């Protein structure tokens, strides 16, 4: 059937500067270019990932937004119309990737941090020691997991991302004294040397889960939900299940890896407790965390999770990334992370169980500012997925579900995955986390405290700008000026 | 057998060893002992070189055999096994001389489990290998998302009837349902509930008897089992009668003959990628 949609981008090549070297042809994972004496682009395939732009030696490529005019209609935006044409032609569920992209207000952007002036001195982190070390787990039973800075890498499965991405994260985590997280796709043998810095995940599909896997991780995480797709399962398409992925997931090559929406052995908090303790029994009582998506009654849910015996609750907000999710779910289901952190922290305090478990917050932590604000709202630590991928080259083209990532990150095609050198990738991640850690120390110094512990749950050090009264109340944050 | 259980105590159970080498046996008194100590003792007994571990006085303790990786070890459970028996287990054999609760063989890796009675819901969820033989009925959600990989090929044989969601999301392995009652005769209960094999994309289900298409998920192909199919499951049926025929007071050979001469239905997925065409990528 004829596709009524028109290309979103225009690949503009300045042929007067072009070397005719053909590098762009090879660089593009989506096969935009043909070469006939000079590169000829097919605009309809371009995703604006800027791989070609980055590697073009002549700097002669510009990716432009298509200038095609649509009759203005604020209600029927061009994207809405295009989606309808696509679905009318295919009958399919619209599939996309990365985090929600609609222009919903970011609460982080409406929160500002305090600083010392006159009445109490600020601290210079360049001269004074500044403690970022964080312990996760049940404080009553003694800290379970130590991380050198309150940041971990978010779960991204091998299969959704390449092995080189996993290696980069594992090496970086071990150098930084933090943790990476396998996601639900098993643990590749190449990561065994870094296993003390790895959280192994157990999701509804139970891919790659065997006794050895449970024993290798520093901690085990039960994945109940994901911010990008709360309440639904996942389908890793058969095209991404190559030989290596198949070995790690322990499923045949080429079949879809289907994660059912629920764990069929968890239908209640009691069942969750049963799974937490079965994992503890099987692993010699390792810490077990539970990852949930932020949804309406997240406070009550998190309370149940903690009472079920989880050592940490991982809150994934509605902007959290994904390797593939139906757009309708990604863009319309779930609540903001900021709200969830505040209500969960408050609920656990009110119930007197806050010390029994840590809170890891994730779902679009974009900067050290977001990290500091999340901690001030009540999180113990944050996790980064999208930011880690961006550090590795991702340009947020939202094409991960196609398996053609030009940057070699969310693909299993060997000609693409080899573009990421794990050594260099690890260094980029180490640099990013070190930079954020330094910034976090600057923030702490400005606040006049010398340990991240002092900022934790300290909402008094936040103020809201342009947030309504009700939201401020839920966040437990005063408006600026008060 | 109507002794009152007053609670589960967090104390170490008493353990007695006998025999040497491959005969080394440990007898553990588990009455009123909390599961954690029971399981610690099982692990300790394996460390000590026991090949046969008899757990006496079991009454619903959870996680027996959970995560145990051992070869040539048989755990005999005297009493009703609690939730998640043999979960994540690798290699051992567990024999329960009574019923078992939910979650038998959950995400099990390898090894064998024999239940001389009924078993509850979610048997063999996400199971990757090994075999679970249950003499009688099973509950809901049995064999969900069983999967296979190379030599790892899980098997569940349930002697009685099953409820809804049998083999849902099944991705590999074999599920066999015999429809016997607790006397070893053809049961007069419905063989199996609804939503059989919904989302199935691998593996095979054999049912002794017939079902209606409406009972199955749309991803399932329904066939009358042929001779070669029966030949392929014969060894599993032999094992079943070897384990349980005497419980019924039946002659193993006769029971096997009866099973093999019945009408069987075979269910297999119509695609290994049931959702391949569901999406329109953006
Ligand atoms: S998809 Fe990426 S590499 Fe391909 S033409 Fe567009 S910007 Fe360049
Ligand atoms: S990981 Fe690759 S495909 Fe996914 S958004 Fe980033 S650049 Fe695009």
């Amino acid at each position: 059937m004829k596709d009524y949609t028109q290309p979103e981008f225009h690949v503009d090549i300045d042929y007067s500067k072009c070397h005719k070297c053909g590098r762009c042809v090879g660089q593009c994972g989506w096969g935009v270019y043909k070469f006939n004496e000079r590169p000829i682009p097919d605009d309809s395939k371009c995703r604006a990932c800027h791989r070609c732009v980055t590697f073009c030696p002549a700097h002669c490529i510009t990716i432009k937004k298509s200038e095609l005019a649509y009759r203005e209609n604020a209600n029927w935006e061009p994207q809405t119309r295009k989606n309808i044409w696509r679905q009318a032609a295919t009958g399919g569920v619209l599939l996309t990737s990365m985090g929600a992209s609609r222009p919903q207000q970011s609460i982080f952007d409406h929160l500002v941090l305090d600083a010392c002036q006159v009445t109490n001195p600020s601290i210079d982190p360049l001269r004074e020691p500044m403690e970022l070390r964080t312990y996760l787990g049940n404080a009553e039973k003694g800290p379970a997991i130590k991380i050198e800075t309150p940041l971990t890498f978010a779960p991204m499965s091998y299969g959704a991302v390449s092995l080189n991405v996993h290696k980069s994260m594992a090496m970086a985590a071990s150098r930084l004294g933090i943790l990476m997280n396998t996601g639900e796709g098993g643990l590749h043998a190449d990561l065994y040397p870094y296993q003390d810095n790895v959280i192994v995940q157990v999701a509804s599909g139970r891919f790659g889960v065997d006794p050895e896997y449970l024993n290798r991780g520093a901690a085990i995480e039960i994945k109940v939900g994901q911010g990008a797709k709360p309440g639904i399962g996942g389908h890793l398409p058969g095209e991404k299940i190559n030989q290596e992925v198949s070995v790690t997931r322990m499923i045949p090559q080429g079949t879809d890896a289907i994660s059912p929406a629920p764990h069929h052995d968890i239908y209640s908090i009691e069942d969750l407790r049963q799974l937490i303790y079965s994992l503890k029994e099987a692993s010699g009582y390792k810490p077990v965390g539970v990852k949930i998506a932020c949804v309406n009654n997240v406070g009550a849910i998190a309370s149940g999770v903690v009472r079920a015996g989880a050592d940490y609750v991982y809150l994934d907000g509605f902007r959290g990334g994904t390797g593939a999710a139906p757009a309708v779910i990604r863009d319309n289901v779930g609540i903001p992370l900021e709200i969830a952190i505040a209500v969960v922290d408050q609920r656990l305090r009110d119930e007197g169980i806050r010390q029994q478990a840590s809170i890891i917050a994730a779902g679009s932590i974009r900067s050290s500012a977001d990290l500091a604000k999340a901690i001030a709202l009540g999180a113990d630590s944050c996790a980064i997925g999208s930011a880690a991928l961006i550090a590795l080259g991702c340009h947020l083209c939202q094409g991960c579900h196609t398996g053609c990532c030009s940057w070699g990150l969310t693909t299993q095609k060997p000609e693409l995955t080899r573009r990421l050198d794990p050594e260099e990738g690890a260094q980029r991640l180490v640099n990013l986390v070190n930079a954020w850690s330094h910034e976090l120390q600057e923030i702490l110094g400005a606040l006049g405290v010398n340990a991240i512990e002092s900022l934790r749950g300290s909402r008094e050090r936040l103020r809201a700008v342009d947030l309504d009264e009700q939201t401020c109340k839920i966040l437990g944050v005063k408006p600026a000026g008060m | 057998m109507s002794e009152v259980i007053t609670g589960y105590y967090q104390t170490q159970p008493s353990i007695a060893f006998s025999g040497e080498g491959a005969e080394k046996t440990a007898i553990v008194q588990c009455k009123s002992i909390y599961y954690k100590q029971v399981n610690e003792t099982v692990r300790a007994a394996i460390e000590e070189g026991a090949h046969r571990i008899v757990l006496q006085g079991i009454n619903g303790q959870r996680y027996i055999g959970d995560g145990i990786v051992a070869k040539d070890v048989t755990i005999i459970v005297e009493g009703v096994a609690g939730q998640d028996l043999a979960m994540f287990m690798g290699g051992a054999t567990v024999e329960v001389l009574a019923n078992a609760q939910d979650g038998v063989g959950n995400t099990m890796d390898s090894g064998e489990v024999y239940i001389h009675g009924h078993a509850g819901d979610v048997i063999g969820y996400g199971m990757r290998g090994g075999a679970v033989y249950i003499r009688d009925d099973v509950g809901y959600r049995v064999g969900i998302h069983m999967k296979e990989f190379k030599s790892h090929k899980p098997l569940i044989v349930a002697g009685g009837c099953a409820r809804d969601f049998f083999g849902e999301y099944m991705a590999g392995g074999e599920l066999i349902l015999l429809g016997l009652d607790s006397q070893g005769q053809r049961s007069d209960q419905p063989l199996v509930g609804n939503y059989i094999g919904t989302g199935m994309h691998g593996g095979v289900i054999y049912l002794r008897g017939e079902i209606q298409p409406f009972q199955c998920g749309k991803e399932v192909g329904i066939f009358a089992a042929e001779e070669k199919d029966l030949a392929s499951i014969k060894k599993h049926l032999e094992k079943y009668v070897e384990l349980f025929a005497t419980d019924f007071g039946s002659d193993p050979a006769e029971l096997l003959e009866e099973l093999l001469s019945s009408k069987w239905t075979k269910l297999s997925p119509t695609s290994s990628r049931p959702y391949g065409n569901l999406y329109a990528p953006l």
Side-chain angles (χ1 to χ4, degrees), chain A residues 47 86 90 93 95 204-206 211 235 239 250 252 256 258 260 264-265 267 274 278-279 281-282 401, chain B residues 36 39 43 63 66 83-84 87-88 106-107 122 125 128 141 145 147-149 273 278-280 282:
Chain A
R47 302 198 68 100
R86 263 193 204 104
T90 61
V93 171
L95 194 70
S204 64
R206 303 285 154 91
H235 304 157
E239 292 89 17
M250 304 168 183
D256 282 355
I258 298 177
H264 285 280
D265 53 357
Y267 282 24
Q274 190 177 312
S278 68
L279 289 166
E281 274 286 322
H401 57 292
Chain B
K36 198 171 171 213
N39 292 332
R43 285 170 200 271
Y63 309 131
D66 180 4
Q83 310 278 84
D84 287 337
M87 188 167 186
F88 304 118
N106 191 340
T107 324
V122 245
Y125 175 41
R128 299 188 42 241
R141 315 197 304 266
H145 215 311
K147 53 178 76 64
E148 68 185 63
F149 181 62
R273 305 201 46 197
L278 183 63
Y279 298 110
L282 278 177

Side-chain angles (χ1 to χ4, degrees), chain B:
Chain B
M1 284 297 280
S2 60
E3 283 177 89
V4 182
I5 298 283
T6 54
Y8 290 97
Y9 300 105
Q10 304 219 21
T11 49
Q12 293 302 325
S14 69
I15 177 166
F17 289 98
S18 61
E20 282 305 321
E23 302 292 301
K24 187 158 178 172
T25 298
I27 298 194
V28 188
Q29 302 297 340
C30 303
K31 194 184 147 206
S32 296
I33 306 288
Y34 195 56
Y35 69 78
K36 198 171 171 213
Q37 283 72 27
V38 169
N39 292 332
E40 272 168 17
T41 308
V42 170
R43 285 170 200 271
I46 294 172
E47 287 280 304
E48 291 280 318
H51 288 278
R52 225 177 115 80
I53 300 165
V54 183
L55 304 180
Q56 296 186 330
I58 288 289
N59 196 341
Q61 280 95 335
R62 295 179 168 189
Y63 309 131
I64 295 170
D66 180 4
I68 283 188
V69 180
K71 275 214 170 80
D72 308 320
V73 168
T74 300
I75 302 170
I76 311 279
V77 179
E78 298 188 354
V80 175
Q83 310 278 84
D84 287 337
L85 176 81
M87 188 167 186
F88 304 118
M89 188 175 82
T93 299
V94 178
E95 182 154 20
V96 179
L97 306 180
N99 297 331
Q101 293 188 319
D102 304 334
V104 176
N106 191 340
T107 324
M108 186 169 128
D109 195 52
S110 56
E112 308 225 321
V113 179
Y114 316 132
I115 314 275
H116 290 263
H118 301 288
D121 300 336
V122 245
I123 311 301
Y125 175 41
M127 189 174 161
R128 299 188 42 241
V132 174
Y133 288 85
I134 296 151
R135 193 189 68 197
D136 301 331
D137 295 338
V138 290
Y140 294 83
R141 315 197 304 266
V142 169
I144 292 189
H145 215 311
M146 277 171 42
K147 53 178 76 64
E148 68 185 63
F149 181 62
K150 295 189 173 160
S151 63
H152 270 65
K153 196 171 175 189
L155 164 73
I156 297 177
V157 180
C161 302
R163 299 302 187 93
D164 295 348
F165 309 108
F166 196 67
E168 196 184 33
Y169 279 116
M170 192 166 169
E174 294 168 285
L175 258 178
I176 302 175
L177 187 64
L178 307 182
L180 296 168
D181 67 12
S182 51
Q183 318 298 315
Q185 306 295 320
R186 165 74 75 179
S187 172
D188 53 11
Q189 298 296 310
L191 178 63
V192 56
N194 296 328
Y195 309 103
I196 310 162
T198 309
M200 186 175 181
H201 53 292
V204 57
I205 300 176
Y206 290 101
L207 307 166
R208 193 173 70 105
E210 282 171 281
I211 50 157
Q212 299 298 318
F214 76 81
Q215 289 177 274
C216 294
K218 61 181 186 314
E219 299 80 7
V220 172
I222 307 172
F223 311 93
E226 295 170 18
E227 214 148 288
K228 66 172 186 339
D229 296 321
L230 287 185
S232 79
I233 60 167
K234 188 170 174 216
K235 56 183 181 296
H236 307 320
L237 301 178
E238 281 168 356
K239 177 89 187 180
Y240 177 87
V241 301
E242 175 199 322
L243 284 165
F244 303 124
T246 49
D247 289 11
F248 300 133
S250 314
D251 175 60
E254 272 174 33
L255 183 56
L256 180 67
E257 183 47 39
E258 190 193 324
L259 294 175
L260 283 170
S261 59
S262 307
K263 232 181 174 168
W264 287 79
T265 303
K266 175 185 177 178
L267 307 179
S268 61
T270 48
S271 160
S272 67
R273 305 201 46 197
Y275 305 117
N277 293 319
L278 183 63
Y279 298 110
L282 278 177

Side-chain angles (χ1 to χ4, degrees), chain A residues 30 47-51 97-98 160-161 165 322-323 386 389-390 393-411:
Chain A
W30 283 279
R47 302 198 68 100
C49 74
H50 294 185
R51 180 77 192 182
S97 45
M98 297 311 288
V161 299
V165 172
T322 174
S386 300
L389 287 179
I390 293 171
C394 163
H395 276 52
L396 274 186
C397 73
Q398 300 180 49
C400 323
H401 57 292
T402 65
C404 298
C405 176
S406 294
W407 291 85
L409 306 174
T410 53
T411 173

Side-chain angles (χ1 to χ4, degrees), chain A residues 252-276:
Chain A
Q253 234 172 302
T255 60
D256 282 355
I258 298 177
S259 298
H263 289 249
H264 285 280
D265 53 357
I266 314 180
Y267 282 24
S268 66
I269 291 293
E270 291 76 12
D271 287 352
L272 176 64
R273 184 177 180 82
Q274 190 177 312
L275 182 59
I276 289 173

Side-chain angles (χ1 to χ4, degrees), chain A residues 9 11 24 27-33 41-43 45-53 61 63 397 406-407 419:
Chain A
F9 305 103
V11 182
C24 51
Q27 289 297 326
C28 183
W30 283 279
V32 165
Y33 297 96
D42 173 353
D43 286 352
K45 292 183 181 158
C46 177
R47 302 198 68 100
C49 74
H50 294 185
R51 180 77 192 182
C52 58
V53 176
I61 306 171
I63 308 295
C397 73
S406 294
W407 291 85
R419 292 178 177 184

